[in-house]
Amino acid sequence: MGPRPLRRARPDQRLYAALDLGTNNCRLLIARPADEGFTVVDAFSRIVRLGEGLAASGRLSDAAIERTIAALAICADKLRRRNVALARSVATEACRRASNGVQFIERAYRETGIALDIISAEEEARLAVLGCHLLIEPGDDPALVFDIGGGSTELVLVDTRAPVPRVIDWHSAPWGVVSLTESAGGAGRDAAALAATYARMRGLIAESIAPFAARLPQHIARPRLLGTSGTVTTLASVHLGLERYDRSAVDGLIVPAESMRAISADLAGRTVAERAQLPCIGQERADLVVAGCAILEAILDIWPAERLGIADRGIREGILRRLMRDGQRP
């Protein structure tokens, strides 16, 4: 359906907005164009777990829908109060997969006025790259950008020799932190059970991304890696020893891959209650973070980079850049 003009504004005050409704999070950015891209005016992020229970039922649950509608209502209020000129709102894997995804989209529009586009996995991957490619480390060889979501993981191989990277190949694995936890997570608390659960998760991810790895030329065995997701930003926060999350410290950070592996292994060996006690993880992420660790380690098993770039930016920033680049006007 594309971007939708909301309300007219004077050119010098024109604001743009991007809303990304994922399987786990609802996130909004409102920004105005600036010399070096854009300046953020307002933002909102809430864990809504829209895809909770989807793996078993094939449907969005009533409770998940209610949580998400409440978050979308807050976003709608921000859009109105900020007099946003042009906005685009997208929904990803949970709505792609759910049998009642379209009905949810229709209800969200009726109750909040926000018209969500259910985008393809390919567009999701391309928007993520557009939003974070400025953080890819310099180099001539291709780079691999990956986005660990709630319901899927997108991997994109890009040629970075042009100002805007060219997508060489991409792959969407049907596993994210929510779907993998619900399908392969275990309730065991002893070391053996925790290890078995983690191994099972890593095996599922390895199997799902193996076809993509097999397509890539052999000389791309060690591409530059850039990760964008709550998983990598959370692990980077643990690496830095932060007491609370600090985007300015995390976004653009380069972390030794072995440090990320060590943190992942440590978290995988802890119970949910033990993980919840750690700063920057807490109750909201304690049950899902290990699935993200398994996805990250499976990626590093296939592409054993020495360093990993961290991006706290992605689809929303990609939407904003596209809206501003195309110069669309209401």
Side-chain angles (χ1 to χ4, degrees), residues 98-303:
S99 61
N100 59 339
V102 172
Q103 290 88 340
F104 161 72
I105 295 294
E106 292 170 348
R107 178 183 166 187
Y109 181 68
R110 287 196 309 270
E111 296 190 14
T112 70
I114 291 178
L116 290 153
D117 292 332
I118 303 177
I119 60 174
S120 68
E122 180 176 8
E123 183 174 5
E124 181 179 356
R126 291 179 181 275
L127 285 172
V129 170
L130 185 60
C132 70
H133 72 86
L134 294 175
L135 298 182
I136 297 173
E137 286 193 272
D140 294 327
D141 292 333
L144 182 71
V145 178
F146 62 91
D147 182 359
I148 302 172
S152 64
T153 295
E154 276 61 54
L155 302 103
V156 193
L157 189 72
V158 295
D159 180 344
T160 61
R161 290 174 294 184
V164 176
R166 177 180 66 86
V167 174
I168 300 171
D169 200 352
W170 70 278
H171 178 73
S172 181
W175 299 111
V177 296
V178 176
S179 56
L180 187 58
T181 298
E182 293 189 349
S183 297
R189 299 169 61 88
D190 61 275
L194 292 170
T197 294
Y198 195 56
R200 184 164 59 247
M201 288 180 171
R202 288 177 65 171
L204 286 171
I205 293 298
E207 181 180 4
S208 68
I209 64 179
F212 176 60
R215 291 202 304 266
L216 304 187
Q218 290 301 309
H219 73 276
I220 310 179
R222 288 178 177 267
R224 291 163 288 150
L225 295 186
L226 177 66
T228 168
S229 70
T231 293
V232 294
T233 56
T234 296
L235 297 186
S237 298
V238 175
H239 168 75
L240 293 174
L242 300 180
E243 288 297 320
R244 61 183 60 84
Y245 186 71
D246 181 356
R247 183 183 186 275
S248 65
V250 170
D251 187 50
L253 186 69
I254 304 296
V255 182
E258 284 306 311
S259 175
M260 299 293 267
R261 280 188 178 276
I263 294 167
S264 296
D266 176 65
L267 292 175
R270 294 173 181 253
T271 65
V272 172
E274 290 169 340
R275 291 175 222 140
Q277 299 303 312
L278 298 175
C280 297
I281 294 181
Q283 294 288 345
E284 285 192 324
R285 295 179 175 85
D287 59 334
L288 302 180
V289 68
V290 165
C293 292
I295 296 170
L296 174 60
E297 286 223 74
I299 291 170
L300 291 173
D301 286 342
I302 295 176
W303 295 283

